[in-house]
Amino acid sequence: MSKPSVLVSGGAGYIGSHTAVELIRAGYDVVIVDNLSNSEIGAVEGVRKITGVEVPFVEADCCDEAAFRKVFEQYAFDSVIHFAASKAVNESVHKPLEYYRNNLTSFMNVIALMREYGRHNIVFSSSCTVYGEPDKQPVTEQTPRKPATSPYGNTKQMCEDILRDSVGAYEGMKGIALRYFNPIGAHPSALIGELPRGVPQNLVPYITQTAAGIRECLSVFGDDYPTPDGSCIRDYIDVVDLARAHVAAIGRMIEGRSKAAYEVFNIGTGRGVSVLELVRKFEEVNHLKLNYRIAPRREGDIVAIWADPTLANNELGWKAERTLDETLAAAWKWEQHLREK
Ligand code: NAD
Ligand code: WQD
């Protein structure tokens, strides 16, 4: 019998490439489609090197229906993990139409083609951003979504709704939205990792680039928040752990263990870590001193958010396993590897 096959859209990207590796390790066949708008072919080569499998790669835009259709005609996958999207929150405020077009069109194309070609299971990359600034910590899947504060966040909410309504209407289709908290780190092999373009907006790439001397100084955005050390708190999830959550979600749908056609899971560690704690941990684990300063608050930042991952622990049989030490060591190893290339 042939192995179950999974289409990974956006599979050349940060989370998609790590997920492709974990799917292959779990025995799935994988096909990657990506338009390389925010990634490089080197990530697919990294996946091939780590796994020893010549993963098929199609360079195509999921918004281009005709090009995307060819992937459905050529490959017999029954499940899709849809990572393909534009993801820079701040950029989305300045280019709303680009974000709505890319994130919504690609997603609606996936669902329409799945329906037409009789493919059944889909995992959607959602985000803790749908909770906005929560009234209570930690957040469960029942925590109300807040009105989105950026077009990017709005696309995540809209895609969740499109998924819920579609699997409700189309017989035989199942969907899982995974709400990621803050993904960080890299594969321990340092063959794949995050590839930020330009000046990093996210904390960990800014830290590693500062440690590498590419950036002069990390700005810690605010030390006067109502938190124990005054800096913001997040739930940092290792990208390999996050990748494994997708394998668990796909397995649940393929094996018929879903409890509803549409399900939502928080994917986090359950532990809140402050910016200053993370900086100190990075220094300690990697035996270096980081140049940083306290800067004013960044507009739009929420004070704190961390996950209650109980539902994913119990229902997906998934749990974050890698320690923050391992994750920050892998992030630094990846940064060094990038500089050697
Ligand atoms: P990424 O940019 O590294 O990966 C996305 C990939 O999709 C890229 O390789 C890009 O080239 C590709 N892509 C974009 N539009 C496409 C299109 N129309 N057709 C084909 N390929 C396309 O980002 P990531 O961090 O790996 O994020 C993956 C998914 O997870 C995204 O949907 C993102 O919104 C979501 N997410 C990310 C985070 C995070 O902090 N990284 C947090 C929550 C949710
Ligand atoms: C983390 C913390 C900053 C950079 C974003 C998106 C969210 C989701 C995950 C996709 C914050 C502080 C950062 C720096 C700093 N993505 N920081 N100096 O903002 O929690 O979430 O990524 O869905 O939607 O908004 O992540 O990594 O930008 O920031 O002090 O140079 O680090 O203030 O407290 P964020 P981040």
Side-chain angles (χ1 to χ4, degrees), residues 87 89 126-129 152 156 180-184 200-207 218-222 225 231-234 236 275 298 301-303 305:
K87 66 159 179 178
V89 179
S126 191
S127 167
C128 67
T129 196
Y152 168 78
K156 290 296 165 195
Y180 317 155
F181 282 66
N182 287 51
I184 61 165
Q201 303 300 306
N202 295 115
L203 179 60
V204 169
Y206 208 105
I207 289 179
L218 167 77
S219 294
V220 171
F221 298 137
Y225 284 102
S231 64
C232 294
I233 295 177
R234 299 288 185 272
Y236 296 96
V275 176
R298 181 172 72 177
D301 270 343
I302 60 167
V303 181
I305 186 165

Side-chain angles (χ1 to χ4, degrees), residues 17-18 21 40-52 186-195 330 333-335 337-338 341:
S17 56
H18 289 81
V21 167
E40 289 173 9
I41 189 68
V44 177
E45 284 152 13
V47 173
R48 290 174 177 155
K49 244 188 226 162
I50 294 167
T51 59
H187 195 269
S189 65
L191 290 169
I192 51 174
E194 196 168 2
L195 261 192
K333 189 173 165 191
W334 165 246
E335 181 68 54
H337 170 86
L338 269 179
K341 278 214 285 191

Side-chain angles (χ1 to χ4, degrees), residues 216-337:
E216 215 177 295
C217 181
L218 167 77
S219 294
V220 171
F221 298 137
D223 71 345
D224 55 353
Y225 284 102
T227 60
D229 65 19
S231 64
C232 294
I233 295 177
R234 299 288 185 272
D235 185 336
Y236 296 96
I237 173 82
D238 185 281
V239 68
V240 176
D241 278 336
L242 173 58
R244 288 177 33 252
H246 294 78
V247 179
I250 288 288
R252 180 178 177 86
M253 290 190 283
I254 289 181
E255 290 157 21
R257 287 183 280 112
S258 302
K259 291 194 173 151
Y262 173 62
E263 296 182 305
V264 180
F265 296 101
N266 282 344
I267 304 298
T269 65
R271 190 187 54 221
V273 173
S274 78
V275 176
L276 287 169
E277 274 176 311
L278 194 90
V279 166
R280 288 200 190 103
K281 200 65 166 163
F282 182 84
E283 290 184 323
E284 182 193 306
V285 168
N286 296 309
H287 313 289
L288 42 81
K289 276 301 257 182
L290 197 72
N291 194 18
Y292 72 89
R293 67 183 179 102
I294 306 298
R297 293 179 177 193
R298 181 172 72 177
E299 204 191 315
D301 270 343
I302 60 167
V303 181
I305 186 165
W306 65 94
D308 178 344
T310 308
L311 194 67
N313 298 163
N314 294 343
E315 292 295 325
L316 293 179
W318 169 90
K319 199 168 176 297
E321 281 169 2
R322 290 173 60 78
T323 64
L324 192 54
D325 287 34
E326 288 171 315
T327 306
L328 293 175
W332 179 227
K333 189 173 165 191
W334 165 246
E335 181 68 54
Q336 289 169 301
H337 170 86

Side-chain angles (χ1 to χ4, degrees), residues 46-240:
V47 173
R48 290 174 177 155
K49 244 188 226 162
I50 294 167
T51 59
V53 173
E54 209 39 41
V55 188
F57 170 69
V58 183
E59 185 174 341
D61 189 329
C62 302
C63 295
D64 177 346
E65 208 246 12
F68 203 11
R69 174 179 295 278
K70 286 196 189 130
V71 181
F72 280 76
E73 276 171 3
Q74 196 180 347
Y75 296 96
F77 50 85
D78 196 42
S79 306
V80 178
I81 307 183
H82 185 69
F83 292 104
S86 307
K87 66 159 179 178
V89 179
N90 189 39
E91 185 183 54
S92 80
V93 175
H94 303 288
K95 298 180 175 174
L97 281 185
E98 277 92 331
Y99 272 69
Y100 285 116
R101 187 179 293 124
N102 196 39
N103 294 6
L104 298 180
T105 308
S106 63
F107 192 57
M108 289 192 287
N109 280 348
V110 171
I111 295 190
L113 287 165
M114 285 180 70
R115 188 174 171 230
E116 190 180 331
Y117 286 83
R119 314 296 167 85
H120 296 102
N121 312 309
I122 176 160
V123 176
F124 170 65
S125 298
S126 191
S127 167
C128 67
T129 196
V130 301
Y131 297 115
E133 176 93 67
D135 300 326
K136 229 176 86 195
Q137 305 286 357
V139 292
T140 73
E141 292 76 1
Q142 307 308 320
T143 300
R145 293 187 328 192
K146 291 265 175 77
T149 53
S150 71
Y152 168 78
N154 208 13
T155 68
K156 290 296 165 195
Q157 298 201 354
M158 291 165 90
C159 286
E160 283 193 352
D161 295 346
I162 291 169
L163 182 58
R164 180 201 58 211
D165 295 346
S166 301
V167 298
Y170 305 141
E171 184 70 33
M173 256 184 106
K174 278 178 281 189
I176 292 182
L178 297 181
R179 291 178 178 158
Y180 317 155
F181 282 66
N182 287 51
I184 61 165
H187 195 269
S189 65
L191 290 169
I192 51 174
E194 196 168 2
L195 261 192
R197 301 245 160 127
V199 181
Q201 303 300 306
N202 295 115
L203 179 60
V204 169
Y206 208 105
I207 289 179
T208 57
Q209 289 198 5
T210 305
I214 300 155
R215 311 281 154 209
E216 215 177 295
C217 181
L218 167 77
S219 294
V220 171
F221 298 137
D223 71 345
D224 55 353
Y225 284 102
T227 60
D229 65 19
S231 64
C232 294
I233 295 177
R234 299 288 185 272
D235 185 336
Y236 296 96
I237 173 82
D238 185 281
V239 68
V240 176

